[in-house]
């Protein structure tokens, strides 16, 4: 007899039980509905999203440290790690500058703020100070100094990724220098700690649907959907510019590596949906690191390029800042000359690098840009208060894809990418253990997941764990 086909309700129930993507998607829709129907109650769900983000942040720093240390030690070449860092910074600068230019060109062509004729004196400049908490972006000197750790523990306690990266580079270099004769147990311990952290991430990911529901209900309940009508032209322009930039990213990825961005997007669809729902790329960093490694990118490249990109490669933010600057200028009737627009690009190239992790950083960067031009009233930045939260989805998607493409491109550039493995992974040809079987319950259990890629043999002096001899059979 032919096998019986499960009924539709059973198949739906099984999908909801095993697929993280389906769970997050349902939570996203439910959050929108609750936020629209019961806005006063919906805002009380915000702690669900905030709590999830806090849990994820607790594992990011130790995970980055472990991945980078193990990557340096097993690759066995500190000079190669330095080359990866330099190449990553070059890629970041080119990509973020391209995003700024695309934003300015599209804003000039469309003119999202033209015809608004806003009186700057009618705007509440104090509302911007309330959003930013009276803070300011760090200067170049402060940014460099802040990247240097003051204490080993403090870098982890304050979740300062750049400081953690520097510590990881120092520890990895020390392991290479000392070799296995003096520190034979350190590297295996860090490697095992990495596995433990990835398992913890899997446990936390079970809460992802609750986080998405809480964050989306709060967003819709607090801001409503009416703001989309008021700023429709600006919103459409930002998302269209982001789509254009992502198309260019796709072309660059194809040219440099031969990989398909669409297939990669399908590969990380669960993480992308979670990032959209929580408006946070940090919430998915551990899982994205894991998937990039499985897709053939070497540990040292993933460990350095992705976390560094979170500070230096904010492509979505660059798009938004350039469009936002022209929008507020057009809205208050200021016609910026070509020279002033070039100044905008130069200023934003600097200010966008110090934005990560600073509350209200977009408004601080816009205020700094307006002040440097001297032609736009600082209070005009308040025009974007009502729409800024709606732009989070655009920024999150563009930032995340931009950094993932950077990992593949720099890895290929440095010879640290297994192209064949990457293509087979994105094509779904690997059929190894599922994440659930490996202790990562955060993935859709019904889907095949690639096993972690093999890493290059460790350098001389760095030990590997020997497999235990099988016990003799009884009798």
């Amino acid at each position: 007899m032919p096998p019986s086909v499960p009924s539709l309700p059973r198949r739906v129930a099984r999908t909801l039980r095993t697929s993280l993507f389906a769970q997050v998607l349902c939570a996203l829709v439910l959050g929108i509905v609750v936020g629209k129907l019961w806005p006063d109650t919906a805002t009380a769900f915000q702690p669900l999203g905030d709590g999830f983000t806090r849990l994820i942040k607790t594992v990011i720093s130790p995970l980055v440290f472990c991945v980078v240390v193990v990557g340096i030690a097993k690759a066995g070449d500190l000079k190669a790690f330095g080359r990866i860092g330099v190449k990553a910074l070059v890629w970041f600068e080119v990509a973020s500058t391209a995003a700024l230019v695309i934003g300015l060109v599209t804003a000039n062509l469309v003119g999202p703020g033209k015809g608004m004729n806003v009186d700057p004196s009618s705007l509440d400049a104090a509302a911007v100070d309330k959003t930013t908490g009276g803070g300011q972006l760090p200067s170049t000197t402060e940014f460099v100094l802040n990247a240097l750790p003051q204490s080993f523990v403090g870098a982890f306690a304050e979740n300062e990724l750049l400081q953690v990266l520097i510590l990881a580079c120092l520890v990895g270099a020390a392991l290479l220098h000392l070799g296995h004769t003096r520190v034979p147990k350190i590297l295996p311990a860090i490697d095992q700690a990495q596995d433990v952290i990835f398992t913890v991430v899997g446990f936390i990911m079970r809460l992802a649907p609750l986080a998405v529901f809480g964050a989306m209900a709060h967003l819709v309940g607090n801001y409503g959907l009416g703001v989309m009508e008021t700023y429709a032209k600006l919103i459409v322009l930002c998302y269209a510019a982001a789509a254009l930039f992502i198309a260019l990213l796709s072309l660059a990825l194809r040219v440099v590596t031969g990989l398909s961005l669409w297939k990669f997007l399908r590969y990380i669809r669960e993480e992308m949906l979670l990032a959209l729902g929580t408006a946070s790329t940090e919430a998915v960093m551990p899982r994205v690191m894991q998937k990039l490694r499985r897709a053939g990118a070497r540990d040292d490249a993933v460990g350095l390029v992705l976390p560094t990109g979170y500070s230096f490669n904010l492509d979505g933010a660059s798009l938004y800042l350039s469009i936002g600057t022209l929008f507020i200028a057009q809205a208050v009737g200021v016609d910026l000359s070509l020279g002033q627009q070039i100044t905008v690009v130069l200023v934003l190239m600097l200010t966008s690098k110090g934005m990560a992790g600073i509350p209200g950083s977009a408004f601080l960067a816009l205020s700094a840009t307006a002040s440097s031009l001297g032609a736009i009233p600082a209070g005009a930045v308040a025009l974007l208060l009502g729409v800024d939260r709606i732009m989070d989805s655009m920024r999150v998607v563009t930032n995340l894809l931009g950094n993932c493409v950077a990992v593949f491109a720099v890895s290929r550039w440095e010879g640290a990418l297994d192209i064949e493995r990457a293509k087979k992974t994105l094509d779904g040809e690997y059929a190894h253990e599922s994440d659930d079987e490996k202790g990562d319950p955060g993935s859709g259990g019904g889907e095949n997941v690639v096993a972690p890629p093999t890493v290059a043999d460790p350098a001389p002096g760095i030990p590997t764990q020997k497999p235990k001899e099988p016990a003799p059979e009884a009798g």
Side-chain angles (χ1 to χ4, degrees):
M1 293 180 62
S4 59
V5 178
S7 63
L8 180 59
R10 286 189 176 184
R11 279 182 287 170
V12 171
R14 183 181 183 279
T15 300
L16 287 175
R17 187 177 68 254
T18 60
S19 172
L20 178 65
F21 180 80
Q23 294 169 5
V24 172
L25 184 60
C26 289
L28 189 71
V29 174
L30 185 60
I32 294 174
V33 171
V34 171
K36 178 64 176 176
L37 298 180
W38 301 284
D40 295 335
T41 305
T43 56
F45 292 111
Q46 184 181 9
L48 293 176
D50 293 345
F52 176 82
T53 304
R54 292 181 67 166
L55 282 174
I56 285 291
K57 284 184 176 181
T58 61
V59 299
I60 288 178
S61 290
L63 177 59
V64 169
F65 178 83
C66 292
V67 170
V68 172
V69 170
V70 172
I72 292 176
K74 288 188 175 180
D77 187 356
L78 195 60
K79 291 182 179 179
F81 197 73
R83 290 197 305 270
I84 290 173
V86 172
K87 291 174 181 178
L89 292 177
V90 171
W91 181 275
F92 293 160
E93 194 57 50
V94 171
S96 57
T97 302
L100 289 170
V101 172
I102 289 174
L104 285 178
V105 170
T106 54
N108 275 294
L109 291 175
V110 177
K114 289 182 178 177
M116 293 185 69
N117 300 319
V118 175
D119 180 6
S121 62
S122 65
L123 298 172
D124 184 11
V128 177
D129 293 332
K130 182 179 179 181
T131 302
T132 61
Q136 59 182 3
L137 293 176
S139 64
T140 303
T141 303
E142 291 173 336
F143 180 74
V144 173
L145 287 177
N146 289 339
L148 302 177
Q150 297 187 65
S151 71
F152 201 99
V153 176
F156 290 88
E158 297 173 8
N159 232 11
E160 294 287 348
L161 282 187
L162 291 180
Q163 296 182 13
V164 171
L165 275 174
I166 290 175
L167 289 173
C169 292
L170 292 174
V171 172
L175 286 176
L176 284 179
H177 178 71
L178 293 172
H180 73 287
T181 56
R182 298 178 65 179
V183 284
K185 298 181 180 180
I186 296 296
L187 184 60
I190 295 176
D191 205 359
Q192 292 166 11
Q194 175 181 270
D195 293 337
V196 171
I197 294 171
F198 273 127
T199 303
V200 171
V201 170
F203 295 152
I204 297 174
M205 289 297 292
R206 290 186 179 276
L207 303 175
L210 287 176
V212 170
F213 168 74
M216 191 54 58
H218 169 72
L219 170 63
V220 177
N222 196 38
Y223 295 93
L225 300 176
V227 68
M228 299 184 70
E229 298 176 5
T230 306
Y231 292 91
K233 195 173 182 180
L234 175 62
I235 294 172
V236 170
L237 174 61
C238 285
Y239 279 83
L244 174 60
F245 180 77
I246 290 172
L248 293 178
L249 279 180
S250 177
L251 179 61
L253 181 65
R254 176 71 72 176
V255 170
V256 175
T257 67
L259 301 177
S260 166
L261 185 62
W262 170 252
K263 290 181 179 179
F264 177 73
L265 186 58
R266 185 180 182 279
Y267 175 58
I268 63 164
R269 61 188 181 277
E270 295 166 348
E271 292 74 24
M272 187 61 70
L273 194 60
L274 175 59
L276 282 171
T278 58
S280 170
T281 53
E282 285 189 336
V284 297
M285 182 195 281
R287 290 261 303 188
V288 171
M289 290 180 71
Q290 193 174 27
K291 286 199 167 182
L292 286 169
R293 293 165 69 221
R294 288 173 180 165
R298 208 168 65 195
D299 282 16
D300 51 347
V302 175
L304 179 62
V305 178
L306 189 66
T308 307
Y310 271 57
S311 295
F312 287 93
N313 193 40
L314 304 175
D315 297 329
S318 298
L319 270 172
Y320 173 63
L321 290 174
S322 56
I323 294 175
T325 301
L326 259 67
F327 168 76
I328 59 178
Q330 293 166 357
V332 298
V334 174
D335 187 17
L336 297 180
S337 65
L338 178 60
Q340 288 174 314
Q341 293 191 32
I342 293 175
T343 302
V344 168
V345 173
L346 295 176
V347 172
L348 290 177
M349 282 173 62
L350 296 175
T351 56
S352 62
K353 298 296 182 290
M355 289 175 53
I358 299 176
S361 56
F363 294 104
L364 291 173
L366 286 169
S367 298
T369 306
S371 299
S372 67
L373 292 174
I376 305 174
V381 177
L383 277 171
L384 292 173
L385 284 172
V387 75
D388 181 71
R389 187 63 177 81
I390 305 297
M391 299 299 185
D392 276 343
S393 298
M394 179 274 291
R395 291 193 293 248
V396 162
V397 170
T398 311
N399 288 344
L400 185 56
L401 286 180
N403 286 320
C404 290
V405 169
V407 171
F408 281 124
V410 174
S411 298
R412 176 63 168 168
W413 193 359
E414 181 57 27
L417 177 65
D418 186 340
I419 291 293
E420 290 304 314
R421 182 180 187 86
K423 289 181 178 179
K424 289 181 179 179
T425 300
L426 300 189
D427 287 338
E429 293 184 18
Y430 281 113
H432 297 305
E433 313 167 83
S434 72
D435 276 1
D436 283 332
E437 293 168 349
K438 295 168 59 179
D440 181 2
S443 175
E447 301 176 19
N448 294 326
V449 182
V450 176
T454 56
V455 185
D457 291 338
I462 298 299
T464 55
Q465 288 182 289
K466 295 182 180 179
K468 294 180 180 179
E469 294 293 332
E473 295 181 1

mmCIF file with all atom_site columns, all heavy atoms in Angstrom, residues 239 268 271 349 431 463:
data_model
loop_
_atom_site.group_PDB
_atom_site.id
_atom_site.type_symbol
_atom_site.label_atom_id
_atom_site.label_alt_id
_atom_site.label_comp_id
_atom_site.label_asym_id
_atom_site.label_entity_id
_atom_site.label_seq_id
_atom_site.pdbx_PDB_ins_code
_atom_site.Cartn_x
_atom_site.Cartn_y
_atom_site.Cartn_z
_atom_site.occupancy
_atom_site.B_iso_or_equiv
_atom_site.pdbx_formal_charge
_atom_site.auth_seq_id
_atom_site.auth_comp_id
_atom_site.auth_asym_id
_atom_site.auth_atom_id
_atom_site.pdbx_PDB_model_num
ATOM 1  N N   . TYR A 1 239 ? 13.589 52.472 0.519  1.00 0.00 ? 239 TYR A N   1
ATOM 2  C CA  . TYR A 1 239 ? 13.552 51.046 0.238  1.00 0.00 ? 239 TYR A CA  1
ATOM 3  C C   . TYR A 1 239 ? 13.949 50.745 -1.206 1.00 0.00 ? 239 TYR A C   1
ATOM 4  O O   . TYR A 1 239 ? 14.589 49.715 -1.487 1.00 0.00 ? 239 TYR A O   1
ATOM 5  C CB  . TYR A 1 239 ? 12.166 50.483 0.556  1.00 0.00 ? 239 TYR A CB  1
ATOM 6  C CG  . TYR A 1 239 ? 11.981 50.195 2.030  1.00 0.00 ? 239 TYR A CG  1
ATOM 7  C CD1 . TYR A 1 239 ? 11.613 51.211 2.921  1.00 0.00 ? 239 TYR A CD1 1
ATOM 8  C CD2 . TYR A 1 239 ? 12.193 48.931 2.548  1.00 0.00 ? 239 TYR A CD2 1
ATOM 9  C CE1 . TYR A 1 239 ? 11.461 50.958 4.278  1.00 0.00 ? 239 TYR A CE1 1
ATOM 10 C CE2 . TYR A 1 239 ? 12.041 48.670 3.902  1.00 0.00 ? 239 TYR A CE2 1
ATOM 11 C CZ  . TYR A 1 239 ? 11.680 49.690 4.761  1.00 0.00 ? 239 TYR A CZ  1
ATOM 12 O OH  . TYR A 1 239 ? 11.542 49.432 6.114  1.00 0.00 ? 239 TYR A OH  1
ATOM 13 N N   . ILE A 1 268 ? 19.788 32.001 4.684  1.00 0.00 ? 268 ILE A N   1
ATOM 14 C CA  . ILE A 1 268 ? 19.704 32.652 6.007  1.00 0.00 ? 268 ILE A CA  1
ATOM 15 C C   . ILE A 1 268 ? 18.329 33.289 6.223  1.00 0.00 ? 268 ILE A C   1
ATOM 16 O O   . ILE A 1 268 ? 18.209 34.261 6.963  1.00 0.00 ? 268 ILE A O   1
ATOM 17 C CB  . ILE A 1 268 ? 20.809 33.716 6.178  1.00 0.00 ? 268 ILE A CB  1
ATOM 18 C CG1 . ILE A 1 268 ? 20.657 34.850 5.147  1.00 0.00 ? 268 ILE A CG1 1
ATOM 19 C CG2 . ILE A 1 268 ? 22.189 33.104 6.115  1.00 0.00 ? 268 ILE A CG2 1
ATOM 20 C CD1 . ILE A 1 268 ? 21.445 36.097 5.499  1.00 0.00 ? 268 ILE A CD1 1
ATOM 21 N N   . GLU A 1 271 ? 17.254 33.792 9.898  1.00 0.00 ? 271 GLU A N   1
ATOM 22 C CA  . GLU A 1 271 ? 17.972 34.871 10.574 1.00 0.00 ? 271 GLU A CA  1
ATOM 23 C C   . GLU A 1 271 ? 17.531 36.240 10.059 1.00 0.00 ? 271 GLU A C   1
ATOM 24 O O   . GLU A 1 271 ? 17.415 37.198 10.824 1.00 0.00 ? 271 GLU A O   1
ATOM 25 C CB  . GLU A 1 271 ? 19.482 34.700 10.381 1.00 0.00 ? 271 GLU A CB  1
ATOM 26 C CG  . GLU A 1 271 ? 20.074 33.502 11.093 1.00 0.00 ? 271 GLU A CG  1
ATOM 27 C CD  . GLU A 1 271 ? 19.745 32.171 10.439 1.00 0.00 ? 271 GLU A CD  1
ATOM 28 O OE1 . GLU A 1 271 ? 19.447 32.143 9.225  1.00 0.00 ? 271 GLU A OE1 1
ATOM 29 O OE2 . GLU A 1 271 ? 19.768 31.145 11.134 1.00 0.00 ? 271 GLU A OE2 1
ATOM 30 N N   . MET A 1 349 ? 31.030 59.854 5.664  1.00 0.00 ? 349 MET A N   1
ATOM 31 C CA  . MET A 1 349 ? 32.033 58.786 5.619  1.00 0.00 ? 349 MET A CA  1
ATOM 32 C C   . MET A 1 349 ? 32.715 58.625 6.969  1.00 0.00 ? 349 MET A C   1
ATOM 33 O O   . MET A 1 349 ? 33.108 57.525 7.361  1.00 0.00 ? 349 MET A O   1
ATOM 34 C CB  . MET A 1 349 ? 33.077 59.082 4.533  1.00 0.00 ? 349 MET A CB  1
ATOM 35 C CG  . MET A 1 349 ? 32.612 58.778 3.115  1.00 0.00 ? 349 MET A CG  1
ATOM 36 S SD  . MET A 1 349 ? 33.801 59.321 1.858  1.00 0.00 ? 349 MET A SD  1
ATOM 37 C CE  . MET A 1 349 ? 35.215 58.319 2.294  1.00 0.00 ? 349 MET A CE  1
ATOM 38 N N   . ALA A 1 431 ? 23.349 17.005 2.971  1.00 0.00 ? 431 ALA A N   1
ATOM 39 C CA  . ALA A 1 431 ? 22.254 16.410 3.744  1.00 0.00 ? 431 ALA A CA  1
ATOM 40 C C   . ALA A 1 431 ? 22.833 15.691 4.952  1.00 0.00 ? 431 ALA A C   1
ATOM 41 O O   . ALA A 1 431 ? 22.756 14.484 5.090  1.00 0.00 ? 431 ALA A O   1
ATOM 42 C CB  . ALA A 1 431 ? 21.452 15.442 2.884  1.00 0.00 ? 431 ALA A CB  1
ATOM 43 N N   . PRO A 1 463 ? 48.226 22.170 19.009 1.00 0.00 ? 463 PRO A N   1
ATOM 44 C CA  . PRO A 1 463 ? 47.768 20.782 19.090 1.00 0.00 ? 463 PRO A CA  1
ATOM 45 C C   . PRO A 1 463 ? 46.356 20.623 18.583 1.00 0.00 ? 463 PRO A C   1
ATOM 46 O O   . PRO A 1 463 ? 45.573 21.545 18.557 1.00 0.00 ? 463 PRO A O   1
ATOM 47 C CB  . PRO A 1 463 ? 47.828 20.504 20.601 1.00 0.00 ? 463 PRO A CB  1
ATOM 48 C CG  . PRO A 1 463 ? 47.534 21.832 21.216 1.00 0.00 ? 463 PRO A CG  1
ATOM 49 C CD  . PRO A 1 463 ? 48.155 22.844 20.300 1.00 0.00 ? 463 PRO A CD  1
#
